Structure formats: structure tokens, C-alpha cells
């Protein structure tokens, strides 16, 4: 039975109740459950938007019905299948239904003719009961052969178009599942379900799969351009704060500045060399033990004095914190008794083994959020720390047995993907309550909605290789389409770089050039050779990696990096405009060519270039030893090579030389006069 109630379209099919309602501009939210009521959780759909302006029609026999919200229409046919259309009547998404209908008397004539009768007995929505009452869920849609799909977050692979890919809906170190997909057919879909599972964008069907859930929940939107779709998505899940000016500059990090003296020496060296620097970072195990959330006084004896000295140099300080709490730390017993730690379903409640037995803070518990922030406030923020590095945010279980962990809000299988959102929210809420209106915190994972809590996501502990660099380009662009405008990566990669190796020096130079045109430009890495630990106690237990500062790779590389540091500084006015668009509309800072040139069919196939904001086209050098590369210039505008000032009509492919100090960059001719002074840093 199909019916309308409260401006919503419903299908009652035995124990299943399907609901379709308006949810924002040109958008619909779809829920289904076999429970008596929905859970009431909005998951990523946290923003207040219009939900009551739809047009709903149902036929007299209650066999068919449809709901229209702006440009998007959903239709339920007489065979209980749900399909979506745009304002032109074009089919966007069709439920995958393969079953036999012997009695077709209920359908309209066109439905009888067009219904594909099959003996497979597969429904578009499958709730498979799990002992105990919940469900394994599969939701299926017909595949479209020429469809291109983008977004979905951070997966370590070097292709942008996700058609024919299978993705795990779960977080791991260097993997962040952000389940929003944008289609070349003119729609976007958010899988608004934080359950562990997977999705297949296969040739024969698309299938979303949750291992354990109480209901189906997804949101769909349509638009005439990718930007319209992206902005509608940002309106329902939230937008980033306005990025503070300092964060648009260069961030310096390495594997553990081990002492206060080492950190200050590096900061002063930047100033002595007249190199731009905005943020410097204290990485992990500056604490005496996991879960203490404070500086180890042996190596950081006077944080207030240190931070004051940094601030006098115009440098902000970021400090790493982990959600791990050592069993022998001073807060563990209280946090355990209060229920502030992630629980295990079987075995001892130890979820990470790293320099001791550790539990993870359960950030889905609001009281745990408050408890942890109070520690960070007292021991860091009140001492002058400016921003936080929220590491281990997946969280990084020693064993990824997703079925073995339980949170305050439910089992890991059902709600686990919200963990990094809650982590960012805990720190964001604490900072905003202290009056900070431009929060930005580095975090190693995200889910849909993380962006509204000031999450600057980075791509985790990645390999130092050109293959990894190619992966990061695809990741950064798909994260942007997935609704995460603030993204960064370890310049040079995290694992395996050797400072005096010529191949690595080439890699780190190319990566540095690429990072100049990322939302945040941030150096980091676990370089070789390592140092020896300072002691066998507290923060002294951990070694450090080799140097990462720009002068660590020889004079030639240093000269190139100096140019690009100055370029980044020169581009701040331009970057500020792009950050304002991200804050106000949800516009990605970096994006694939099709985002700005969707009418150019060739732009949809370009995966190794991108736009940095509205006017700068970047073509990274992605292979070792490259002397030249092809560049596609999208149709619809004239492009200027920043090195030669040559102009090119868009809609063509050209070949450009790529000496080590030149990253191919083109600007729109209409923006050349404004941007040319900034590029003198690398062209004069």
C-alpha cells in the first residue's frame, strides 16, 4: 500500500515501512525499516533544512505514488520499486529488481510493458534478519554502463572514477570512508548509514551493504552542474568554518621533535633563513604515557615559555593527541569505570597494543567528550597551544575485528564510522566554547559531516614513492567531492624516505610542488636514518626520524623549495577567496576539471590534473624522471602558462617541459593580471 502523510510518501509492504521526504533543495531522504519506528538518528544530516515543501501524489488504488521536491522526483511503482528522475524526466537511479510478477493487473499499462520479469527473486531492498533482531542490509540499483562516479572519501588507489570499483565502508589507517558519491548523470547520493560494510559500483549493479543495521537511510540530490550538487550536499551535512589566515601558509612537522630545544631550534632556523612558516608541530609521545594528555616535563620543561617564544616569531603551535589510554595511566581506571572507553564484545578490553596496553576513548559518549576536552584544555590550550592533531582517529585498532567493539551509541558494526566525527566534534565544541570561531584541527580520518567540526583530514601513514604520490592526487580530489574541503598529505610520504637519496630528493621536491597547491601545505614524514631513543622512560622511549626541514635535502632541492614556499605565501589572498567559498557554499578548494567545466566532455576523463580554486590549473609531475608531460586545457576559456606567458585556447591537449623546478601550472587569462605577481616567486 502506497500513501501520503504529512507531505511524505510511504510504502507499507508487510513489515517494511518505506518513507521518502523532502530534505533540502532538490533533494530527498529515503528511509526504510522493519521495526515499528525509525531510530530518529539523523547521522550526517545534521543541518536544519526545508523538509515540508514536496508535492506528493498517489493513485486512487494506492498502487503507485510519487514525490517531487524541486528538480528531483521519486516514483514508487506497482511492483514496490523506487526510481528517481530529474526535472527533465530523465532516469537518474533505478532500483535493481529482478523478480517475477505473475499478476501484473495492479500496474499501469507502461509499467506492465516495461517491467523486467525475472525468476532470480532479487529485490532492490533486502533486510536479512540477524539473530537478536537487527538486520544485514543490501540496497541495489541498476548499473549504467557509461556512468562516471566520484567521491566516497579516501582509498589508497590512483584512479579517480570509481565505476567498477568495490570499496570497504570502514576506516583504517590511511583509509577514510565518506560515503557520498557524485554521478556524471547529474545526481549525488549520501549513504547516510554509519554501519561497517561495503559498496560495489559494478558493471551489472550498484550494491550498498551494511553488515548490521536497524534501518535503511540514504539521501539523494540532483542538479544541472556538479557545483549545484555539491552545494546542496554541503547544505544538509554542514560546511567548514572559515579557515584562519595563518593556516593558509606552510606547516612544518617531522616524526617527533623530541625536546623543547629541538623544536625551538628548527623554528629559529626558519626565521634566520627568512623562510615562511605558519605552524610547527609537536608529534606523538611528547607525553610521559598514553592517556596522561600532558607534556613530559623531562623534555618539555616550560611549555608556556616555549609557546610564547613561538608566538613572538609569528608561529602557531599544533600538538598531537591520541585517543589511547594506557592501562597504567592515571586516568584509565576512572575512564573505565565511567564507561568512557571503547568496549570489547569478547576478550580483555584492550584495543591497541603500542608501548603498553591501551583502550580507546569512546567519543560517541558526550560525557567522554567533555572529560577529554577538559584535560586538553588544562594541559595544552590554557598553556597557549593553538590547534590539535587528532591522530589515530579511525580508531586504529591493533586488530581490525570490527565486530568485536562496542560504543556508547551502539555496536561498532552499526555506528562505528561516526567515530572520527565525534572525535573532531569533541575538540571543536571545546574550542568554540572558549570563543574560537575559526577552529581547524588536523585529523587522520573522517566521515560525512566531519567538515563542519573544523576537520583538516590528512591521508595517513603512506608510502614514500611516486605510486603513493599518484594515489594522493586521486584521494585528495575524491575527498573534495565527498564533501571534505580541507585535506592535506605528508609531503614526501610518511614511510621510507631517505634524505640523502637522490631518488627520494626528486620525489620530495615533486611532492612539495604539488602540496603548494593543496588546501594545506604540510611537511611530515618518518625519514631515515632514525635517531636513538633519549632514554628508556616516558617520552624518551621513542626514537625520531631524520630531518624534514627544507634545507635537509641539499642545496638544489632547498633552492626549489624556497621558491615554492614564497609562492604559497604570495597566494594567500587568492587562497582566502577559495576558503571563503568553501565556508559559505561548500565549494571544494581542489577539484577535478569536470567540476568547473562540466560541459566539456573531455574534462570528465582527466584524472591527473585539477583546479586549485577557480582560476589555477595544476598538472602535477607524477612519475620519476619525467622531462615532460601532457596537459589538457578545458574548453570554454583561454589559458596562460605561468612560466612562458604563452596563451592557449581551451579544448586542446599540449605537451610541456617539466624540469625539476617547474610544476606545470596554467591560469585563466581573465585572472592572469591578478595572479602574475604571485608567480614571480617561481618564474623570475
Amino acid at each position: 500500500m502506497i500513501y501520503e502523510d504529512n507531505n511524505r510518501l510511504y510504502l507499507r509492504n508487510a513489515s517494511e515501512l518505506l518513507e521518502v521526504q523532502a530534505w533540502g533543495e532538490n533533494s530527498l531522504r529515503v528511509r526504510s525499516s522493519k521495526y515499528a519506528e525509525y531510530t530518529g538518528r539523523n547521522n550526517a544530516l545534521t543541518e536544519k533544512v526545508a523538509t515540508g515543501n514536496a508535492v506528493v501524489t498517489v493513485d486512487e488504488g494506492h498502487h503507485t505514488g510519487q514525490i517531487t521536491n524541486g528538480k528531483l522526483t521519486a516514483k514508487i511503482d506497482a511492483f514496490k520499486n523506487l526510481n528517481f528522475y530529474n526535472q527533465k524526466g530523465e532516469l537518474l537511479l533505478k532500483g535493481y529488481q529482478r523478480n517475477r510478477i505473475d499478476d501484473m493487473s495492479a500496474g499501469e499499462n507502461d509499467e506492465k510493458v516495461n517491467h523486467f520479469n525475472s525468476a532470480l527473486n532479487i529485490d532492490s531492498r533486502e533486510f536479512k534478519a540477524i539473530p537478536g533482531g537487527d538486520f544485514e542490509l543490501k540496497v541495489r540499483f541498476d548499473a549504467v554502463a557509461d556512468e562516471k562516479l566520484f567521491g566516497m572519501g579516501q582509498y589508497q588507489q590512483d584512479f579517480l572514477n570509481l565505476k567498477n570499483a568495490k570499496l570497504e565502508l570502514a576506516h583504517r589507517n590511511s583509509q577514510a570512508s565518506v560515503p557520498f558519491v557524485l554521478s556524471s548523470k547529474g545526481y549525488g547520493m549520501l549513504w547516510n548509514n554509519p554501519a561497517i560494510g561495503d559498496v560495489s559500483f559494478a558493471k551489472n549493479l550498484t550494491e550498498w551493504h551494511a553488515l548490521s543495521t536497524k534501518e535503511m537511510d540514504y539521501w539523494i540530490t540532483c542538479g544541472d552542474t556538479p557545483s549545484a550538487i555539491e552545494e546542496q550536499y554541503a547544505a544538509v551535512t554542514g560546511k567548514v568554518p572559515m579557515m584562519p589566515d595563518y593556516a593558509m601558509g606552510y606547516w612544518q612537522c617531522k616524526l617527533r621533535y623530541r625536546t623543547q630545544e629541538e623544536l625551538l631550534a628548527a623554528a629559529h632556523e626558519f626565521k634566520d633563513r627568512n623562510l615562511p612558516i605558519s605552524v610547527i608541530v609537536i608529534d606523538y609521545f611528547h607525553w610521559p604515557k598514553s592517556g596522561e594528555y600532558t607534556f613530559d616535563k623531562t623534555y618539555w620543561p616550560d611549555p608556556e615559555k616555549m609557546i610564547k617564544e613561538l608566538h613572538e616569531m609569528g608561529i602557531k603551535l599544533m600538538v598531537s593527541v591520541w585517543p589511547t589510554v594506557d592501562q597504567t595511566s592515571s586516568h584509565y581506571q576512572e575512564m573505565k569505570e565511567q564507561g568512557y572507553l571503547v568496549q570489547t564484545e569478547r576478550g580483555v578490553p584492550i584495543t591497541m597494543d603500542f608501548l603498553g596496553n591501551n583502550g580507546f576513548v569512546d567519543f560517541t559518549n558526550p560525557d567522554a567528550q567533555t572529560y577529554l576536552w577538559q584535560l586538553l584544555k588544562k594541559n595544552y590550550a590554557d598553556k597557549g597551544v593553538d590547534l590539535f592533531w587528532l591522530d589515530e582517529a579511525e580508531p586504529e585498532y591493533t586488530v581490525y575485528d570490527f565486530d568485536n567493539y562496542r560504543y556508547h551509541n551502539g555496536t561498532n558494526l552499526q555506528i562505528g564510522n561516526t567515530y572520527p566525527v565525534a572525535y573532531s566534534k569533541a575538540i571543536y565544541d571545546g574550542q568554540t566554547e572558549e570563543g574560537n570561531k575559526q577552529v581547524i584541527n588536523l585529523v587522520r580520518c573522517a566521515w560525512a559531516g566531519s567538515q563542519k567540526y573544523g576537520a583538516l583530514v590528512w591521508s595517513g601513514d603512506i608510502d614514500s614513492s611516486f605510486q603513493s604520490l599518484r594515489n594522493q592526487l586521486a584521494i585528495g580530489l575524491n575527498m573534495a567531492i565527498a564533501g571534505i574541503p580541507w585535506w592535506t598529505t605528508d609531503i614526501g610520504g610518511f614511510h621510507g624516505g631517505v634524505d640523502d637519496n637522490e631518488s627520494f630528493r626528486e620525489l620530495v621536491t615533486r611532492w612539495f610542488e604539488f602540496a603548494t597547491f593543496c588546501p594545506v601545505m604540510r611537511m611530515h614524514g618518518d625519514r631515515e636514518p632514525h635517531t636513538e631513543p633519549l632514554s628508556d622512560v616516558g617520552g624518551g622511549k621513542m626514537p625520531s626520524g631524520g630531518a624534514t626541514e627544507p634545507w635537509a635535502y641539499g642545496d638544489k632541492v632547498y633552492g626549489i623549495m624556497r621558491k615554492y614556499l614564497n609562492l604559497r605565501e604570495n597566494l594567500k589572498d587568492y587562497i582566502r577567496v577559495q576558503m571563503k567559498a568553501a565556508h559559505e557554499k561548500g565549494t571544494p578548494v581542489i577539484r577535478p576539471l569536470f567540476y568547473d567545466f562540466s560541459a566539456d566532455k573531455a574534462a570528465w576523463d582527466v584524472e591527473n590534473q585539477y583546479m586549485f580554486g577557480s582560476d589555477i590549473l595544476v598538472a602535477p609531475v607524477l612519475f620519476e624522471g619525467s622531462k615532460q608531460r601532457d596537459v589538457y586545457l578545458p574548453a570554454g576559456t583561454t589559458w596562460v602558462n605561468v612560466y612562458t606567458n604563452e596563451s592557449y585556447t581551451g579544448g586542446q591537449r599540449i605537451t610541456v617541459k617539466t624540469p625539476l623546478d617547474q610544476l606545470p601550472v596554467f591560469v585563466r587569462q581573465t585572472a592572469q593580471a591578478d595572479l602574475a605577481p604571485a608567480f614571480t616567486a617561481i618564474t623570475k
Side-chain angles (χ1 to χ4, degrees):
M1 178 182 178
I2 298 170
Y3 62 95
E4 182 270 342
D5 184 36
N6 195 27
N7 206 224
R8 304 175 187 186
L9 181 65
Y10 288 93
L11 165 66
R12 167 59 73 183
N13 181 27
S15 60
E16 180 194 16
L17 182 64
L18 174 76
E19 174 192 81
V20 188
Q21 69 175 120
W23 200 281
E25 186 177 1
N26 306 315
S27 307
L28 297 167
R29 182 183 185 185
V30 183
R31 283 182 288 183
S32 179
S33 180
K34 291 197 172 186
Y35 282 97
E37 296 178 342
Y38 299 121
T39 64
R41 291 178 176 168
N42 284 334
N43 298 319
L45 301 176
T46 56
E47 302 305 283
K48 292 182 179 179
V49 293
T51 58
N53 51 1
V55 177
V56 183
T57 58
V58 178
D59 77 321
E60 289 186 4
H62 295 274
H63 299 303
T64 64
Q66 70 178 50
I67 179 171
T68 299
N69 182 25
K71 296 179 178 180
L72 182 63
T73 294
K75 297 182 180 180
I76 304 175
D77 64 25
F79 313 111
K80 304 177 181 63
N81 202 18
L82 179 61
N83 307 312
F84 299 91
Y85 303 82
N86 65 16
Q87 76 278 15
K88 302 173 188 176
E90 297 168 338
L91 180 65
L92 300 175
L93 202 57
K94 180 180 178 63
Y96 180 95
Q97 190 179 61
R98 297 294 186 270
N99 47 33
R100 184 166 60 200
I101 307 296
D102 294 323
D103 180 10
M104 301 180 69
S105 60
E108 302 292 337
N109 288 332
D110 59 338
E111 290 176 325
K112 294 175 183 177
V113 171
N114 294 327
H115 179 77
F116 184 78
N117 227 342
S118 171
L120 293 175
N121 195 25
I122 299 174
D123 289 321
S124 58
R125 302 176 303 279
E126 179 186 328
F127 288 86
K128 184 177 180 181
I130 298 171
D134 294 329
F135 298 91
E136 180 183 1
L137 173 66
K138 294 180 179 179
V139 179
R140 306 180 180 97
F141 298 98
D142 275 350
V144 179
D146 62 345
E147 184 177 31
K148 295 178 173 63
L149 300 169
F150 307 92
M152 292 300 298
Q154 183 165 279
Y155 295 88
Q156 295 296 327
Q157 52 206 23
D158 62 2
F159 50 90
L160 192 63
N161 179 10
L162 300 173
K163 182 64 177 176
N164 297 324
K166 180 177 180 179
L167 306 175
E168 183 184 41
L169 300 177
H171 307 313
R172 298 171 182 262
N173 184 341
S174 78
Q175 176 174 296
S177 174
V178 188
F180 175 77
V181 62
L182 184 148
S183 167
S184 60
K185 294 299 181 184
Y187 71 87
M189 178 180 163
L190 168 69
W191 180 249
N192 191 37
N193 189 325
I196 304 298
D198 55 76
V199 59
S200 298
F201 299 116
K203 185 176 181 178
N204 58 328
L205 84 164
T206 292
E207 182 178 83
W208 299 84
H209 176 211
L211 290 172
S212 178
T213 191
K214 296 181 184 300
E215 66 188 15
M216 180 188 79
D217 190 349
Y218 63 86
W219 175 89
I220 184 169
T221 191
C222 74
D224 297 327
T225 62
S227 59
I229 293 169
E230 201 72 28
E231 289 168 18
Q232 288 160 196
Y233 171 52
V236 299
T237 59
K239 300 159 191 167
V240 289
M242 181 61 196
M243 181 177 281
D245 275 7
Y246 72 80
M248 302 176 200
Y250 173 76
W251 299 31
Q252 172 60 33
C253 184
K254 65 171 288 184
L255 184 72
R256 298 193 71 248
Y257 287 107
R258 298 173 297 172
T259 67
Q260 188 168 320
E261 291 75 17
E262 284 186 1
L263 183 86
L264 287 173
H268 280 290
E269 184 75 8
F270 270 90
K271 290 301 176 180
D272 291 345
R273 291 173 179 264
N274 197 28
L275 295 175
I277 178 174
S278 296
V279 178
I280 197 164
V281 184
I282 300 174
D283 201 345
Y284 73 142
F285 260 86
H286 63 268
W287 50 75
K289 186 178 296 185
S290 286
E292 297 296 352
Y293 298 104
T294 190
F295 290 101
D296 186 331
K297 292 181 180 179
T298 303
Y299 306 104
W300 309 88
D302 196 345
E304 292 97 330
K305 180 182 177 182
M306 175 187 67
I307 295 168
K308 183 175 184 291
E309 192 170 335
L310 290 172
H311 287 172
E312 287 171 350
M313 288 187 279
I315 302 173
K316 302 290 187 182
L317 178 65
M318 179 167 74
V319 171
S320 169
V321 294
W322 283 22
T324 52
V325 184
D326 191 292
Q327 226 177 0
T328 63
S329 65
S330 58
H331 303 296
Y332 180 86
Q333 196 60 33
E334 180 183 6
M335 296 184 76
K336 177 184 176 183
E337 291 176 358
Q338 294 289 345
Y340 295 166
L341 301 176
V342 174
Q343 300 299 304
T344 54
E345 302 283 40
R346 54 191 181 273
V348 296
I350 298 302
T351 48
M352 190 182 196
D353 175 19
F354 186 82
L355 290 186
N357 295 327
N358 295 270
F360 278 105
V361 179
D362 182 357
F363 285 105
T364 74
N365 185 333
D367 292 334
Q369 292 184 12
T370 302
Y371 183 95
L372 195 281
W373 168 249
Q374 290 304 316
L375 291 175
L376 300 188
K377 178 181 183 301
K378 175 184 176 183
N379 296 326
Y380 296 116
D382 287 351
K383 296 181 186 299
V385 169
D386 300 289
L387 60 163
F388 291 94
W389 177 352
L390 310 180
D391 209 342
E392 299 291 329
E394 299 81 23
E396 187 184 11
Y397 295 112
T398 293
V399 180
Y400 287 111
D401 283 343
F402 296 114
D403 65 330
N404 192 35
Y405 307 111
R406 181 176 291 271
Y407 299 104
H408 174 79
N409 276 355
T411 68
N412 185 32
L413 284 182
Q414 292 199 354
I415 59 93
N417 285 332
T418 61
Y419 185 91
V421 184
Y423 192 2
S424 288
K425 182 179 185 298
I427 314 309
Y428 173 88
D429 286 349
Q431 290 172 298
T432 54
E433 287 170 7
E434 294 296 311
N436 185 352
K437 302 303 180 186
Q438 292 184 306
V439 172
I440 179 170
N441 291 308
L442 186 67
V443 61
R444 204 173 68 185
C445 197
W447 193 67
S450 286
Q451 68 277 357
K452 69 180 286 186
Y453 300 117
L456 164 63
V457 187
W458 102 96
S459 54
D461 296 347
I462 53 176
D463 186 50
S464 293
S465 63
F466 274 95
Q467 176 61 60
S468 183
L469 175 57
R470 294 190 289 276
N471 291 352
Q472 304 324 299
L473 174 59
I475 287 168
L477 297 178
N478 270 331
M479 280 289 275
I481 295 300
I484 308 294
W486 293 354
W487 177 86
T488 184
T489 183
D490 294 353
I491 293 174
F494 182 73
H495 290 295
V498 181
D499 287 347
D500 60 359
N501 177 275
E502 288 303 317
S503 293
F504 178 70
R505 287 181 173 183
E506 179 186 354
L507 171 68
V508 75
T509 303
R510 292 305 193 187
W511 210 309
F512 199 91
E513 293 166 352
F514 162 63
T516 306
F517 300 95
C518 284
V520 163
M521 183 183 188
R522 174 183 149 273
M523 173 65 76
H524 188 48
D526 182 8
R527 305 282 188 260
E528 299 291 347
H530 277 78
T531 65
E532 293 297 321
L534 292 173
S535 73
D536 60 357
V537 295
K541 290 180 179 179
M542 291 300 299
S544 182
T548 62
E549 295 82 8
W551 54 85
Y553 313 103
D555 291 343
K556 180 180 179 180
V557 172
Y558 173 63
I560 297 171
M561 288 185 174
R562 186 183 190 102
K563 290 181 179 181
Y564 280 86
L565 281 172
N566 287 321
L567 171 60
R568 180 73 182 198
E569 199 71 12
N570 292 349
L571 286 172
K572 274 189 173 180
D573 287 344
Y574 174 80
I575 295 170
R576 190 176 298 110
V577 173
Q578 314 313 316
M579 292 301 175
K580 185 177 181 183
H583 169 55
E584 294 180 347
K585 299 190 295 181
T587 306
V589 179
I590 58 174
R591 58 258 199 172
L593 299 189
F594 68 75
Y595 190 90
D596 295 272
F597 304 97
S598 57
D600 182 351
K601 291 184 178 180
W604 289 86
D605 294 324
V606 177
E607 299 199 355
N608 60 0
Q609 302 170 212
Y610 65 99
M611 293 297 295
F612 178 60
S614 54
D615 298 312
I616 298 177
L617 184 151
V618 184
V621 179
L622 301 171
F623 292 88
E624 185 174 5
S626 294
K627 304 301 182 184
Q628 63 183 33
R629 66 154 290 171
D630 289 344
V631 178
Y632 179 73
L633 301 172
T637 191
T638 300
W639 298 95
V640 180
N641 184 322
V642 300
Y643 301 101
T644 66
N645 287 322
E646 293 177 274
S647 297
Y648 300 87
T649 302
Q652 63 172 311
R653 188 173 293 276
I654 64 172
T655 300
V656 296
K657 296 185 183 302
T658 58
L660 187 61
D661 64 343
Q662 290 188 16
L663 176 77
V665 179
F666 294 78
V667 299
R668 292 185 194 251
Q669 189 177 58
T670 53
Q672 183 191 20
D674 292 333
L675 289 171
F679 282 100
T680 59
I682 59 172
T683 58
K684 66 181 180 180

